[in-house]
Amino acid sequence: NTTVCGDTRYDRVMEIAKTAQFIPEIESFKGEGKLIVCGSTWPEDDKLIIDYINNHEGKAKFIIAPHEIKEEKISAFIGACTARVARYSTMDINTLKDYDVLIVDTIGLLTKIYSYADVAYVGGAMGNTGLHNILEPATFGVPILIGPHFDKFPEAKILQQLAGLYAVASQDQLDERLNKLLSDDKFRAQTGMIAGHFVNSNTGATRAVIDYIKDSN
């Protein structure tokens, strides 16, 4: 005897969206341009992201939130970038607008930062470490890019079928899809709308569980 009530993760990210906070540092960094937020990235993700940054200067600003906040990896990322890179821990808010890349070398901010994104890249699926949470950017109506290895993540497979998420497996594919999302406002808005509706239409599991417990008592 079973009852299927859904996934409470959808309710959690929806609550995050409802309580999204103003972050003056991110506001200052983004300015009037497009912002790509790359969350929970691994070296496999960073390689493609760095190449795009170096060869498409000025198209957008990037926020990088690595999955592992290790000094050697952050230093390597900065050293490989030809663009100007700031670190969240040592930034000067008065000069942030002059930078192209902001590395978030602290924890607890990524879910809020997604609210500023025009496009989100969610890490983990370019290699075999496991895809990270795509629902966090989706709840803000942000179009999502991921790597090709996401067979064990049903929400990503469904959202891909709905065209709210795109998987890229190479540098050329990442470049092409990012350029499309940045240059085509209608396409970007439609893709983000699908992602946001996907989260909204799957909420309610928490209430279903609570009501079931109440009824059982």
Side-chain angles (χ1 to χ4, degrees), residues 34 118-119 143 181-192:
K34 300 287 194 309
D118 294 288
V119 181
L181 285 166
L182 291 173
S183 63
D184 190 332
D185 293 343
K186 183 178 179 180
F187 175 67
R188 185 177 64 256
Q190 181 178 5
T191 306

Side-chain angles (χ1 to χ4, degrees), residues 23 25-27 29 35-41 46 62-71 73-75 77-78 85-91 96 100-114 116:
I23 309 175
E25 296 87 352
I26 306 304
E27 193 86 18
F29 173 72
L35 177 63
I36 301 168
V37 176
C38 304
S40 300
T41 62
D46 294 339
F62 282 78
I63 290 180
I64 313 297
H67 180 70
E68 294 182 324
I69 305 173
K70 293 184 177 180
E71 180 58 37
K73 292 187 177 181
I74 293 174
S75 296
F77 189 103
I78 295 173
V85 183
R87 296 175 62 150
Y88 193 87
S89 61
T90 58
M91 66 184 174
L96 264 180
D100 304 299
V101 181
L102 176 62
I103 296 183
V104 180
D105 52 353
T106 185
I107 60 173
L109 283 175
L110 179 58
T111 54
K112 303 179 183 70
I113 290 174
Y114 276 133
Y116 288 92

Side-chain angles (χ1 to χ4, degrees), residues 117-183:
D118 294 288
V119 181
Y121 178 97
V122 178
M126 194 58 68
N128 296 308
T129 50
L131 177 65
H132 292 279
N133 195 341
I134 64 165
L135 301 181
E136 291 176 345
T139 193
F140 291 108
V142 178
I144 300 164
L145 297 178
I146 62 173
H149 305 296
F150 58 98
D151 288 344
K152 297 180 181 179
F153 298 86
E155 67 274 16
K157 295 170 74 173
I158 295 170
L159 192 52
Q160 182 192 41
Q161 293 168 0
L162 295 172
L165 172 151
Y166 290 91
V168 295
S170 67
Q171 189 69 58
D172 287 344
Q173 289 181 11
L174 175 70
D175 294 353
E176 185 275 331
R177 189 55 59 183
L178 262 185
N179 288 337
K180 174 74 171 174
L181 285 166
L182 291 173
S183 63

